[in-house]
Amino acid sequence: MSRPTSLRLPEALRARLDDESRRIASAPSSLAVVLIDEGLKMRRFGGIVFRDGPTGRRAGLASGPDVWEIVRDLKRHGADPDSDADPVHLVASETGLAPELVGLAADYYATFPDEVDDRIAADAGAAEEMRALADRRERMLSA
């Protein structure tokens, strides 16, 4: 649910908002909501940035991969009943990231789990589609 909020923007800022809205074909109010949301998240989790991609904007480490990629790996290690190792340190050693950065991604996930889980699910779905396409192509070429 949303509610109206009035903001007074300096003229130069309003002009930049309008220009960017036209560039990405979005309403200024929609863009403002996205930017405020992302700005508050980045302010709370220093080191997190938002980047564009084919599936939309997503949270990532300023100096590393997307948050969802780190969380996916943390979940994989956390689900291993045969391992006593700390998933944060395992992912850090696998990726070359500092444990603090892996922890930052975990903290972001703890606060915004739906956002990250949706991205993980989208990636799994895209991977499954690619496997199915490759199987169909292989069957067609071998027939």
Side-chain angles (χ1 to χ4, degrees):
M1 183 171 162
S2 64
R3 64 179 188 176
T5 301
S6 177
L7 295 172
R8 293 191 187 279
L9 301 176
E11 195 58 42
L13 178 58
R14 178 59 200 225
R16 289 183 12 230
L17 179 65
D18 290 342
D19 288 346
E20 184 66 8
S21 295
R22 280 189 295 278
R23 188 183 75 75
I24 65 169
S26 175
S29 59
S30 296
L31 177 58
V33 168
V34 168
L35 294 175
I36 291 169
D37 182 46
E38 290 177 0
L40 290 171
K41 289 173 179 175
M42 290 189 306
R43 185 179 178 105
R44 183 166 179 192
F45 295 96
I48 295 290
V49 296
F50 288 83
R51 42 179 83 105
D52 287 318
T55 60
R57 291 182 63 80
R58 70 241 185 250
L61 296 178
S63 59
D66 291 347
V67 168
W68 72 265
E69 294 172 298
I70 297 167
V71 171
R72 176 200 58 204
D73 294 346
L74 285 168
K75 287 181 170 194
R76 185 183 76 232
H77 286 300
D80 183 358
D82 297 329
S83 177
D84 291 335
D86 174 24
V88 168
H89 285 90
L90 285 172
V91 171
S93 67
E94 286 178 354
T95 61
L97 293 168
E100 296 78 19
L101 292 176
V102 176
L104 175 62
D107 291 345
Y108 184 90
Y109 174 68
T111 306
F112 303 106
D114 293 341
E115 173 188 324
V116 178
D117 284 338
D118 288 348
R119 185 65 61 180
I120 293 169
D123 179 68
E128 183 56 38
E129 287 178 26
M130 293 303 292
R131 282 191 291 277
L133 175 62
D135 288 346
R136 288 191 305 271
R137 182 177 54 234
E138 183 63 31
R139 283 195 304 276
M140 180 197 66
L141 294 174
S142 64

